[in-house]
Amino acid sequence: MSNTPEKKGVSAVDFFCIGFGAIVGVGWAVAINGWMTSCGGPIPAAIGYIVALVMMVPIALCYCELVPMLPVAGGGMAFAYKAFNETVSFISGWAAFGAFVSIIPWEAIQITDVLGYLIPGIKTGPILYKVAGEPIYLITIIIGSVASLLLFALNMRGLAAAASVQKILCFILVGAAVIGAIASLIGGNADNWKPIYDVTDPTIYGNPADGLKQVSHNSMFGGILAILASAPFFLAGFETIPQGIEDAGGDVASVGKTVVLSVVLACVFYAILLFCFGYAWKWQEFAHMSNPSAATMFKSLYPGAVGGVLYWLITLGAIAGLFTTWNGFFMASASLLMAMGRGNLVPGVFAKQNKNGIPVPGLLVCLLLSLIGPFLGAGLIGSITSFSAAAFVLSWCITSFSLIRLRKIAPDMERPYKIPGGVAMGGFSALITTVVFILLFVPNNPVYMGKTASIMFVGWMVIGFILYAISGVQRKAISKADREAAMFGHATHED
């Protein structure tokens, strides 16, 4: 029994802040104008997130039932283990782990960019080298590395300590976003939404006659669907909740419900900000504003001191959001790797915890990956985002099928919460995630994630199967019953 009183007591509110903070992150402040242009305007982008809500709620409901039913670290990987077999479990876990850990260096890259907006001159000095055309500076490597070490130190104190910091940062980012939305409505104009849909502006897309259009749609409906290429990445933070369930200090059913709540509010949050920021400034001009685009826009909307204050507030909110996502996936990645180690899906060393129940080997891997980020720079962020989205969707798809199968093969298992619709809801979730996953790899459709991201995904899965085969010797040396006991013996059902 590695659990200690120090680890216990993480409440449903804490889990909501972990999930919502990990979802929202920094994207609303630095990527929102990119969402508008990729969808052909703020209106189709906002509607796109409502459509994404239709896709995400059934997925979240599957987790809502399965998390309290199997309250152990691992999330979708553990569900697939119980529902199917080790191979399917590994596919789900390895895909999710790839999605998790790609976010960690992504945030380590972003921290220097966001700080650079508040502290001009950070990106100065001799260029060490370039990656994908983006220059790498010594100071950006130092800042990203120091921030990575600080997050590692925080998570070494346990989930409760990390959750407390997460709660504070979550309030800061939401507060900044609310102020930004109100300021947009006060100073904006509905004419800024026009044209409602357009992908022909040569200043954004190039001249279509020259084959330079950078989107795979030519209708508003296509623009609405285009958000699904990146939405899974920007909505995936709810996955951090199942990974910490063993530290729940209350009713595990309420923790499961925070998955749904965090997803719903995040989609609404994004949609509202797209409507509001699109209302504030003409979106074709917004597309060219320097990051953090939302903060920069307010300096134009409110010239003078008011605009300066809003710029700082939005940028501070962006920094808080960056750390909520970074912190959330730091802790979740280590827990997922620990769960995979328990089942010997990866080397068993990753199952080890220290005397306080901290998964130190997993945190060290997260630290290493986080430290790699500043050395890569921002040139690969787009491909990393799309790769992560595909990996998440695959894991969610397997989770949906796991709910269906467990309803059939284990109808008498304790279910603290049973979702409405049952197998039908799981089937709807499975259908949606399967279709989206396939479309992510099909060129010339609005959801296509691109060649580089596709290669990254295939490469990651090949590496995973090689590691899975290598760990097979160790896996066979332990009986299946012992492996299951190691994986599910930490369940925290309330008596």
Side-chain angles (χ1 to χ4, degrees):
M1 296 292 179
S2 59
N3 291 339
T4 67
E6 185 181 355
K7 280 183 65 182
K8 288 295 183 181
V10 181
S11 68
V13 174
D14 292 324
F15 276 109
F16 170 77
C17 290
I18 289 171
F20 183 81
I23 292 174
V24 171
V26 71
W28 65 276
V30 302
I32 195 164
N33 58 344
W35 298 344
M36 293 179 186
T37 56
S38 66
C39 295
I43 300 299
I47 296 173
Y49 266 109
I50 301 303
V51 172
L53 181 61
V54 175
M55 177 185 81
M56 295 301 300
V57 166
I59 297 169
L61 282 170
C62 290
Y63 280 83
C64 188
E65 175 168 313
L66 293 170
V67 166
M69 176 182 169
L70 293 167
V72 295
M77 182 277 301
F79 309 149
Y81 196 103
K82 181 69 74 172
F84 295 102
N85 53 50
E86 291 172 340
T87 302
V88 177
S89 175
F90 175 80
I91 293 172
S92 175
W94 186 251
F97 184 65
F100 283 19
V101 298
S102 65
I103 290 175
I104 294 173
W106 194 95
E107 302 296 336
I109 294 167
Q110 287 280 16
I111 184 63
T112 53
D113 283 348
V114 178
L115 285 177
Y117 311 139
L118 290 179
I119 311 171
I122 280 183
K123 291 187 174 183
T124 57
I127 297 174
L128 299 181
Y129 53 90
K130 291 185 178 182
V131 176
E134 289 291 325
I136 308 297
Y137 302 90
L138 177 62
I139 187 64
T140 61
I141 291 175
I142 292 173
I143 291 172
S145 299
V146 169
S148 299
L149 290 167
L150 289 174
L151 274 180
F152 173 76
L154 173 63
N155 280 273
M156 281 295 292
R157 296 184 59 194
L159 182 63
S164 297
V165 173
Q166 188 85 346
K167 189 186 300 183
I168 295 170
L169 293 172
C170 192
F171 286 139
I172 293 172
L173 81 88
V174 171
V178 169
I179 292 172
I182 293 172
S184 296
L185 295 176
I186 293 173
N189 189 304
D191 288 340
N192 292 324
W193 284 332
K194 299 176 182 178
I196 298 299
Y197 173 81
D198 179 38
V199 292
T200 62
D201 188 338
T203 66
I204 301 174
Y205 304 101
N207 186 349
D210 297 331
L212 297 177
K213 190 168 69 172
Q214 299 173 358
V215 294
S216 300
H217 54 85
N218 53 19
S219 68
M220 186 166 172
F221 179 71
I224 291 170
L225 293 182
I227 204 70
L228 298 181
S230 61
F233 176 86
F234 290 107
L235 292 171
F238 75 87
E239 278 267 24
T240 59
I241 295 173
Q243 304 306 329
I245 189 66
E246 291 178 16
D247 297 276
D251 177 14
V252 292
S254 64
V255 175
K257 293 173 186 177
T258 63
V259 174
V260 179
L261 182 62
S262 63
V263 168
V264 170
L265 291 184
C267 285
V268 173
F269 178 91
Y270 285 145
I272 289 174
L273 290 185
L274 280 161
F275 277 120
C276 291
F277 291 173
Y279 182 86
W281 200 262
K282 191 169 181 61
W283 67 269
Q284 292 97 331
E285 296 178 11
F286 190 20
H288 296 287
M289 291 186 179
S290 59
N291 273 329
S293 55
T296 302
M297 180 265 291
F298 284 112
K299 292 179 75 172
S300 299
L301 184 61
Y302 292 98
V306 173
V309 170
L310 286 170
Y311 178 89
W312 273 79
L313 283 174
I314 299 300
T315 305
L316 288 173
I319 293 173
L322 185 151
F323 275 104
T324 57
T325 300
W326 200 356
N327 181 45
F329 279 101
F330 212 100
M331 64 176 91
S333 299
S335 295
L336 175 56
L337 193 57
M338 176 189 69
M340 294 178 72
R342 287 173 177 172
N344 291 101
L345 303 180
V346 295
V349 65
F350 292 110
K352 294 185 180 297
Q353 298 169 275
N354 68 10
K355 63 181 181 179
N356 294 319
I358 311 299
V360 177
L363 285 176
L364 287 171
V365 170
C366 294
L367 174 62
L368 176 62
L369 292 166
S370 191
L371 290 171
I372 289 173
F375 289 89
L376 295 177
L380 296 174
I381 278 183
S383 296
I384 290 173
T385 300
S386 297
F387 156 76
S388 183
F392 274 123
V393 172
L394 175 58
S395 180
W396 298 339
C397 180
I398 294 174
T399 293
S400 303
F401 281 108
S402 296
L403 181 135
I404 297 169
R405 182 163 172 78
L406 286 171
R407 279 288 187 109
K408 293 181 178 179
I409 68 173
D412 297 326
M413 280 189 70
E414 180 185 356
R415 289 172 170 81
Y417 178 77
K418 298 181 75 170
I419 62 170
V423 171
M425 181 65 72
F428 182 59
S429 176
L431 175 63
I432 291 175
T433 50
T434 299
V435 170
V436 172
F437 181 72
I438 292 171
L439 290 177
L440 283 166
F441 292 89
V442 178
N444 300 318
N445 85 85
V447 186
Y448 178 51
M449 66 177 175
K451 182 178 179 180
T452 301
S454 300
I455 293 172
M456 290 173 65
F457 179 86
V458 173
W460 176 258
M461 297 308 295
V462 169
I463 291 171
F465 275 111
I466 292 172
L467 294 176
Y468 181 64
I470 291 172
S471 63
V473 175
Q474 184 182 32
R475 194 161 50 249
K476 292 176 182 178
I478 303 171
S479 71
K480 183 177 180 181
D482 287 342
R483 294 198 302 274
E484 289 190 0
M487 183 173 291
F488 299 106
H490 301 261
T492 56
H493 284 299
E494 294 294 308
D495 296 325

